[in-house]
Amino acid sequence: MSKIATLEIGGKKYEFPIIEGTEKELGIDIKTLRGATDSVITIDPGYKNTGACESAITYLDGEKGILRYRGYSIEELAEKADFLEVAYLLIFGDLPKLEELAKFHADIKEQSVVDDDVKKILDAFPKTAHPMGVLSCLTSALTAFNPSTVDVESEEEMYKSTVKILGKFPVLVAWTMRKQKGLPLNYGDTSLGYVENIMKMMYEKPNEQYEQNNILLNALDKLLILHADHEQNCSTSTVRMVGSSHAGLYASLSAGISALWGPLHGGANQAVLEMLEAIKEDGGDTEKFMAKAKDKSDSFRLMGFGHRVYKNFDPRAKIIKVAADEVLADLGIEDPVLDIAKGLSEEALRDAYFVDRKLYPNVDFYSGIIYRAMGIPVEMFTVMFALGRLPGWIAQWKEMRMRKEPIGRPRQIYIGENNRPFIDIEKR
Ligand code: SDX
């Protein structure tokens, strides 16, 4: 096919190159559009048809339900890798050798102490503060305690700021959860595995020996892998946008956490559980809630359904659904909301409204069921999403900075008042 796109405006033809990715995706390169056409631009609210960058990190095909990190399928990674291995893959581009992973983990452990003064910031929050707001604040505050992480102009400095945040972020997550529960803040035990120590920091009680639960450990490791990256989603685009001004990594991550908080994005996992609970409290009438979701005059949406890119089953949802069944069975938990979730999913997959709009369960639909089985408070669900997404955000920020991408600055079409003279207040 021709590698040129031709645009005709006002009887004049303009040609633009078409770039092709390694998975045969095509993009019209309109870098010269505004200059060539005397200021004509494109408009695309929500960027549904607009690529922000070329990236080698994650590939997804929404029609076929394909998701790959650096070319490896999400199914294989979820089954055969562990989270720290996947974090290395996303950030450095290849699966680590044994000694590379060991050094990466050792460097992270070395950086997993958080300046004690950070506790004073945490203490300043009311117990009712939403953990995502706390985490966004503490992440940005890390810049003050690690000033060298702002100017990452080299791979070496990038590495240092990467291992620092991978060491300190899980501590902030555990402290945020423990603070809400009124538990003393701790550090776990760095002789343990990366995710193993996250579990210990989150769950350890001050008055008893912590016993690892391998079912929950494996479930969390898999969930973190499934959330690790997802190309140019809302929060990742935010991290790249903030980083494009050469703001530091931690300020960029803090912005990404805020974007993820929204119920249309990562906040959906909390909203799904609250919705399932509401359906249960209302007597389990899923048909009633399906009708609300289809009623345009009702702002209610079926949380955990639909996706900007997937117009097929989200491959992550498939894997998490199986894991949810396994975890609940292994723990001997009969969770009525899982049955409600399954009922909703089956009904939606038969309903013309959802089928016509290609609305399928997404990554957030089942994850909350496992988090709840793990005893994680519902307000911490999106924090767990952020914990998983951290390596993806780092990888995307690093790629943007190492490729020296320009500062992000979209244009607009002005639709306000035309030029008008000022009127003194006495005459208004
Ligand atoms: C994540 O981008 C990513 O990769 C995100 C993510 C990641 O890993 O980073 O995958 C994580 O954010 C998953 C999505 C979690 N959000 C939810 O579950 C919230 C519920 N879903 C939505 O609000 C919605 O589906 C979005 C926001 C996810 C996608 O919205 P789009 O692509 O902008 O689609 P749209 O709003 O234009 O909807 C198209 C149609 C509309 O109806 P019509 O105007 O055509 O009649 O579908 C309807 C919408 O009203 N619709 C829904 C619906 N989602 C879309 N109707 C009822 N319930 C829903 N959930």
Side-chain angles (χ1 to χ4, degrees):
M1 95 175 266
S2 155
K3 293 283 190 268
I4 293 287
T6 304
L7 195 57
E8 182 169 343
I9 303 174
K12 192 175 173 195
K13 286 190 186 313
Y14 302 87
E15 292 193 338
F16 301 94
I18 291 177
I19 61 169
E20 182 173 341
T22 48
E23 288 292 339
K24 308 294 177 220
E25 297 166 303
L26 299 178
I28 303 171
D29 180 342
I30 56 165
K31 277 200 283 291
T32 60
L33 172 67
R34 194 167 184 277
T37 60
D38 188 19
S39 310
V40 173
I41 62 168
T42 59
I43 280 280
D44 186 20
Y47 310 112
K48 291 189 177 186
N49 306 280
T50 299
C53 61
E54 294 169 277
S55 177
I57 298 169
T58 292
Y59 171 70
L60 62 90
D61 180 320
E63 277 63 39
K64 296 179 189 147
I66 293 171
L67 173 59
R68 297 188 198 125
Y69 296 159
R70 300 284 189 179
Y72 294 95
S73 76
I74 193 65
E75 291 81 4
E76 278 211 280
L77 291 170
E79 189 194 327
K80 299 174 182 171
D82 70 28
F83 178 57
L84 198 62
E85 207 176 348
V86 169
Y88 185 102
L89 170 66
L90 286 167
I91 295 168
F92 303 106
D94 292 303
L95 285 170
K97 297 181 179 65
L98 213 54
E99 62 276 13
E100 289 171 325
L101 186 58
K103 178 182 185 309
F104 187 48
H105 194 189
D107 292 346
I108 289 168
K109 288 179 189 179
E110 225 172 272
Q111 297 295 337
S112 57
V113 174
V114 174
D115 190 298
D116 230 37
D117 282 347
V118 171
K119 291 178 181 173
K120 293 175 186 159
I121 305 171
L122 184 56
D123 286 342
F125 281 96
K127 265 214 178 61
T128 53
H130 194 289
M132 285 297 276
V134 174
L135 193 67
S136 176
C137 167
L138 296 182
T139 303
S140 188
L142 281 182
T143 306
F145 297 93
N146 303 276
S148 66
T149 58
V150 175
D151 302 323
V152 282
E153 291 305 326
S154 70
E155 295 244 19
E156 189 206 345
E157 288 163 332
M158 194 85 75
Y159 183 80
K160 286 179 193 161
S161 60
T162 294
V163 293
K164 277 188 179 181
I165 193 69
L166 285 171
K168 300 177 193 311
F169 196 78
V171 176
L172 299 181
V173 166
W175 284 4
T176 302
M177 181 167 154
R178 296 178 73 87
K179 185 75 189 167
Q180 256 207 348
K181 292 184 163 188
L183 288 170
L185 306 184
N186 64 348
Y187 274 102
D189 172 359
T190 54
S191 69
L192 298 174
Y194 187 71
V195 178
E196 209 176 349
N197 195 34
I198 290 173
M199 296 277 287
K200 181 175 169 65
M201 287 192 286
M202 286 170 64
Y203 291 105
E204 184 175 40
K205 289 199 175 61
N207 56 354
E208 60 185 52
Q209 183 68 30
Y210 176 71
E211 291 294 320
Q212 194 63 258
N213 176 322
N214 286 324
I215 296 165
L216 299 186
L217 174 63
N218 294 330
L220 180 58
D221 196 279
K222 185 174 283 193
L223 280 168
L224 295 175
I225 289 172
L226 292 169
H227 286 81
D229 194 56
H230 213 241
E231 54 130 286
Q232 305 310 314
N233 60 83
C234 178
S235 54
T236 299
S237 300
T238 302
V239 170
R240 285 181 83 120
M241 175 66 89
V242 173
S244 74
S245 74
H246 285 200
L249 176 57
Y250 302 169
S252 306
L253 294 173
S254 171
I257 294 166
S258 297
L260 188 71
W261 190 357
L264 294 190
H265 189 16
N269 56 18
Q270 174 179 342
V272 166
L273 239 293
E274 289 163 349
M275 173 187 75
L276 294 172
E277 280 292 342
I279 294 172
K280 188 182 82 173
E281 291 313 308
D282 186 74
D285 181 357
T286 50
E287 300 259 323
K288 175 178 162 186
F289 285 81
M290 291 276 288
K292 278 171 64 69
K294 297 189 283 188
D295 176 358
K296 291 302 170 194
S297 64
D298 190 328
S299 62
F300 176 80
R301 283 197 159 188
L302 212 54
M303 302 313 277
F305 264 81
H307 197 278
R308 172 58 59 78
V309 176
Y310 287 123
K311 301 308 171 192
N312 191 326
F313 237 91
D314 181 336
R316 302 167 297 178
K318 278 185 188 168
I319 299 169
I320 294 176
K321 181 171 179 294
V322 170
D325 283 328
E326 287 167 359
V327 168
L328 293 181
D330 290 342
L331 296 176
I333 297 175
E334 289 287 318
D335 186 344
V337 295
L338 179 59
D339 299 330
I340 293 174
K342 286 179 179 171
L344 265 183
S345 174
E346 282 152 15
E347 280 170 47
L349 297 179
R350 290 194 302 268
D351 185 292
Y353 174 93
F354 290 86
V355 173
D356 295 349
R357 292 166 179 79
K358 299 183 178 172
L359 303 176
Y360 293 88
N362 58 47
V363 67
D364 292 306
F365 189 64
Y366 294 105
S367 55
I369 289 163
I370 299 180
Y371 290 142
R372 183 158 86 159
M374 296 175 70
I376 293 174
V378 69
E379 283 204 330
M380 284 291 293
F381 286 7
T382 312
V383 168
M384 301 314 290
F385 192 144
L387 184 62
R389 187 52 54 88
L390 179 64
W393 284 334
I394 294 168
Q396 297 272 353
W397 190 91
K398 179 184 174 198
E399 180 179 73
M400 177 271 304
R401 287 297 295 271
M402 299 318 275
R403 285 167 59 100
K404 301 197 181 319
E405 308 240 339
I407 185 169
R409 205 282 186 209
R411 302 308 298 256
Q412 63 163 31
I413 292 295
Y414 176 71
I415 54 171
E417 294 284 345
N418 298 113
N419 192 13
R420 48 183 176 163
F422 184 83
I423 301 167
D424 292 338
I425 192 159
E426 301 77 25
K427 296 175 185 153
R428 286 175 204 160

